């Protein structure tokens, strides 16, 4: 996991070639873990977005139906009142 500033939490060491390979593997593992977390968050946001989109579509359709019914009532009211 990373810290609030994006620190990988992996100490930076300089030394022999073998140590550099170990550092690179640890760094790649930390980056992969961070990318997995980001991917998970994005998937969650996408699910929320899809849910909200569906609810908004339902609300829009409901408002259209209500508006049409209201307009029909207004249009029929004067003709019902006249003999």
């Amino acid at each position: 996991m990373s810290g609030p500033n994006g620190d990988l939490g992996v100490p930076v060491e300089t030394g022999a070639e073998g140590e550099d390979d170990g550092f690179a593997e640890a760094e790649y593992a930390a980056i992969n873990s961070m990318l997995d977390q980001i991917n998970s968050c994005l998937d969650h946001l996408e699910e929320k977005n899809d849910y909200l989109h569906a609810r908004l579509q339902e609300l829009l359709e409901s408002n259209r139906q209500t508006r049409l019914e209201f307009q029909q009532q207004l249009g029929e009211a004067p003709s019902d009142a006249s003999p």
Side-chain angles (χ1 to χ4, degrees):
M1 278 222 201
S2 66
N5 295 325
D7 300 328
L8 295 177
V10 179
V12 177
E13 298 178 12
T14 56
E17 187 68 29
E19 291 178 7
D20 287 343
D21 290 341
F23 172 73
E25 288 178 24
E27 187 176 6
Y28 286 131
I31 291 170
N32 282 334
S33 176
M34 289 172 37
L35 289 173
D36 287 342
Q37 290 175 350
I38 291 169
N39 191 40
S40 177
C41 289
L42 289 174
D43 287 344
H44 183 69
L45 285 174
E46 185 176 9
E47 288 174 11
K48 278 187 164 184
N49 185 50
D50 290 345
Y51 174 80
L52 290 173
H53 185 263
R55 298 297 80 79
L56 287 172
Q57 290 286 30
E58 290 174 6
L59 180 62
L60 179 62
E61 184 58 32
S62 173
N63 285 344
R64 283 181 182 151
Q65 289 296 326
T66 302
R67 182 176 42 95
L68 287 174
E69 291 171 7
F70 185 68
Q71 287 175 342
Q72 288 175 351
Q73 288 176 357
L74 287 178
E76 294 172 359
S79 62
D80 290 342
S82 56

